[in-house]
Amino acid sequence: MAQGSGESWKTTLTWAFRSRRVATADGLRPATVVVKADRIVDVAEWNEVPVAAHLRDYGDHVLLPGLVDTHVHINEPGRTHWEGFRTATQAAAAGGVTTLVDMPLNCKPETISVAALEAKRAAVHENESGSVTGASEGVSHAWVDWMSWGGVVGNHGGGGNEAEIPWLIEAGVPGFKCFLVHSGIDGFAWVDEAQLRKALAMLRVSGLPLLVHAELAGPIDRATALINSSSSADWRSYATYLASRPDEAEIEAIELLIGLADVFDARLHIVHLATAKALPAIQQARAAGLKITVETCPQYLWFAAEEIPDGATEFKCAPPIRNADNREALWQALRDGVIDMVATDHSPCPPEMKNRDSGRFDQAWGGIASLGLALPVVWTGLRQRGGGLELLAKWMAEGPARLAGLTGRKGALAPGYDADFAVLDSEAEWTVTEEDLRFRHKLSPYLGASLRGKVLETYLRGECIYWGRSQDSVLDPKARGQEIRRTP
């Protein structure tokens, strides 16, 4: 169980992990988490340590369920020079994340067919020469467990993939992702309303969710044309980029989705909500019983548009970071349950694609690298606003696990679940440096941020995969991550 241990414990030993602050289904309380054979077998009272169990007592440090991040761009195969399973999952482990769900668009081929899904599965087991190293023997380059969303694409400039949807469902994907606006990837075409309707009709039977990038092109195109018609347009200014992707692009897309959710009675999930102006419509739709869930991202809860310097293209993402009042409204919506969860939308790229030399936001890749930082970022902001640690488990483990169909296995400290958890020193204060970033390219708008909360240990199915108690943090030399496939 501890760093450097062997495998024999799995069938012979019982372990007890206890703390005076364990995030349980009953809230944060003193408890003992009892583990055997990679599963949690009991969540007992603090003083109820089984006879002969090997005890690890964490005092007042927080035991959280292993976090589940359902919005990550791993980019492998095809764009491993942007990111890859090795670096992405190592960054996740260092941040207390034990399950990732990969988005289908930044890899090559895009995950819009079973053949592409199989190529991704093979990539997790490839060595540097490109040959498969033995998936059947469990050889892996993933340090945490993972899944992959399937993609739904339109026929703009190519063929749609409606015929592949049933086969991807059978192959075990937990749901599908689509865009209502250009994705930035030519091989992952946006869908129009007619194509949305066809996809929702197919997914309604399966019960799987459709995740939607909810922006419409119309408001963006009109705003951009207006900006470019001015001789004084300054694309180095963040205010210019913000004006080019107005709130209306999100609002109109979400109104379209609400109408379709009502017609099809299908599960719809709005990814990376950035505008608080859409919250009243979402709240009304939820009150009417529509199957709509919503996520926001750490960048929308941490940064504010008026604080972003001109030319700082590392802040570019879509939808854009909006103003401070909008940020506070998103925090309140999380507290009120209108927004269900927080996911990173970790979307890295090679530094040159950010065009930092020119500083032009219109020419820079849109995506923020943050994998491994979400827990302290969200905790720091939550603590500043008087929120409790138990909300971290709700927003960053339980909610995402439910979206990915992992309830009963991931996202909670409860009997029968995988023994995935993170040990958090909630009072540790630190400043983000490049040495803290384990993803491939050390470019992030969080560099220099002063955070509260440090992950001390991360456990995956009972094995310690990350040890962060010393100045030189240590990852388990063995990659133990497994693909989790939904059972058709």
Side-chain angles (χ1 to χ4, degrees):
M1 298 288 289
Q3 180 72 30
S5 68
E7 302 290 333
S8 61
W9 67 270
K10 289 187 175 179
T11 57
T12 61
L13 299 181
T14 298
W15 288 80
F17 300 83
R18 77 176 180 186
S19 167
R20 296 195 179 276
R21 296 192 295 170
V22 178
T24 72
D26 302 319
L28 206 67
R29 65 176 178 87
T32 299
V33 179
V34 183
V35 174
K36 188 171 184 179
D38 75 14
R39 294 292 179 94
I40 298 171
V41 296
D42 192 15
V43 179
E45 297 300 319
W46 183 86
N47 59 349
E48 294 180 349
V49 178
V51 175
H54 293 253
L55 175 64
R56 299 203 69 173
D57 192 327
Y58 291 103
D60 287 331
H61 291 323
V62 183
L63 260 64
L64 291 169
L67 305 186
V68 179
D69 192 341
T70 50
H71 196 150
V72 176
H73 298 271
I74 295 176
N75 302 344
E76 192 172 14
R79 290 191 175 94
T80 311
H81 60 294
W82 292 25
E83 188 70 280
F85 275 95
R86 179 183 295 274
T87 49
T89 58
Q90 288 180 353
V97 179
T98 53
T99 307
L100 299 177
V101 192
D102 183 39
M103 284 294 171
L105 65 148
N106 288 1
C107 47
K108 293 175 67 177
E110 296 81 10
T111 318
I112 57 177
S113 68
V114 173
L117 177 62
E118 292 300 333
K120 182 178 295 291
R121 288 167 171 167
V124 185
H125 302 277
E126 284 182 357
N127 60 28
E128 293 182 357
S129 69
S131 62
V132 176
T133 57
S136 61
E137 291 81 24
V139 179
S140 170
H141 299 312
W143 263 254
V144 303
D145 288 350
W146 66 279
M147 307 177 83
S148 179
W149 299 113
V152 172
V153 296
N155 54 12
H156 314 287
N161 74 325
E162 295 165 11
E164 290 287 343
I165 292 175
W167 298 109
L168 282 164
I169 293 172
E170 186 173 328
V173 300
F176 292 81
K177 166 74 177 293
C178 71
F179 277 70
L180 304 186
V181 68
H182 191 274
S183 68
I185 300 294
D186 291 338
F188 201 92
W190 60 279
V191 298
D192 59 24
E193 181 177 349
Q195 292 159 343
L196 265 178
R197 288 175 172 271
K198 291 178 181 178
L200 289 172
M202 300 174 78
L203 292 179
R204 174 172 52 189
V205 177
S206 71
L208 298 185
L210 180 64
L211 286 68
V212 185
H213 180 120
E215 288 182 290
L216 289 182
I220 295 171
D221 292 343
R222 290 191 293 271
T224 302
L226 182 62
I227 291 167
N228 287 333
S229 70
S230 170
S231 60
S232 61
D234 179 11
W235 281 103
R236 281 183 49 83
S237 167
Y238 185 78
T240 300
Y241 173 62
L242 180 61
S244 76
R245 295 190 90 107
D247 299 80
E248 287 71 23
E250 287 189 83
I251 293 167
E252 292 181 18
I254 289 168
E255 288 173 347
L256 169 64
L257 294 172
I258 289 171
L260 294 175
D262 190 23
V263 170
F264 287 94
D265 191 34
R267 292 176 61 195
L268 278 166
H269 179 74
I270 298 166
V271 299
H272 51 45
L273 180 73
T275 179
K277 292 181 179 179
L279 290 169
I282 293 169
Q283 193 165 15
Q284 291 173 10
R286 300 275 288 271
L290 300 186
K291 298 174 183 176
I292 294 177
T293 53
V294 184
E295 75 186 43
T296 193
C297 303
Q299 58 263 32
Y300 304 127
L301 300 171
W302 185 260
F303 301 113
E306 53 268 44
E307 301 165 0
I308 297 175
D310 289 350
T313 54
E314 62 269 27
F315 287 86
K316 181 181 177 180
C317 58
I321 296 162
R322 305 194 187 277
N323 65 29
D325 289 342
N326 184 89
R327 175 180 63 192
E328 297 311 310
L330 294 178
W331 273 109
Q332 190 58 51
L334 271 167
R335 299 284 294 275
D336 293 342
V338 182
I339 299 175
D340 301 88
M341 65 193 75
V342 178
T344 60
D345 190 12
H346 173 71
S347 185
C349 67
E352 58 270 20
M353 292 183 65
K354 281 294 187 180
N355 286 312
R356 298 174 78 198
D357 291 341
S358 73
R360 288 185 57 124
F361 282 92
D362 58 332
Q363 296 176 353
W365 174 261
I368 286 179
S370 60
L371 193 54
L373 298 175
L375 178 55
V377 167
V378 175
W379 168 233
T380 304
L382 180 60
R383 186 178 185 276
Q384 291 169 349
R385 293 163 178 82
L389 284 154
E390 68 281 356
L391 292 174
L392 297 175
K394 178 180 179 182
W395 297 340
M396 303 179 76
E398 178 187 343
R402 185 183 307 113
L403 174 67
L406 295 173
T407 300
R409 180 170 181 182
K410 303 284 188 181
L413 298 178
Y417 280 67
D418 286 355
D420 296 355
F421 50 89
V423 181
L424 177 71
D425 180 350
S426 62
E427 299 306 308
E429 298 182 62
W430 59 291
T431 300
V432 181
T433 68
E434 288 189 6
E435 288 70 31
D436 300 305
L437 307 180
R438 290 187 174 270
F439 42 79
R440 184 173 295 275
H441 299 291
K442 314 305 180 185
L443 175 62
S444 173
Y446 291 103
L447 285 169
S450 298
L451 301 180
R452 179 81 68 134
K454 193 79 170 175
V455 174
L456 302 179
E457 299 173 23
T458 304
Y459 282 78
L460 176 67
R461 283 176 274 106
E463 286 283 2
C464 184
I465 60 170
Y466 173 75
W467 179 269
R469 290 179 173 271
S470 60
Q471 185 174 359
D472 297 322
S473 56
V474 178
L475 282 157
D476 187 346
K478 180 177 180 179
R480 301 178 185 274
Q482 300 174 1
E483 183 192 4
I484 303 171
R485 303 189 188 187
R486 183 191 58 82
T487 302

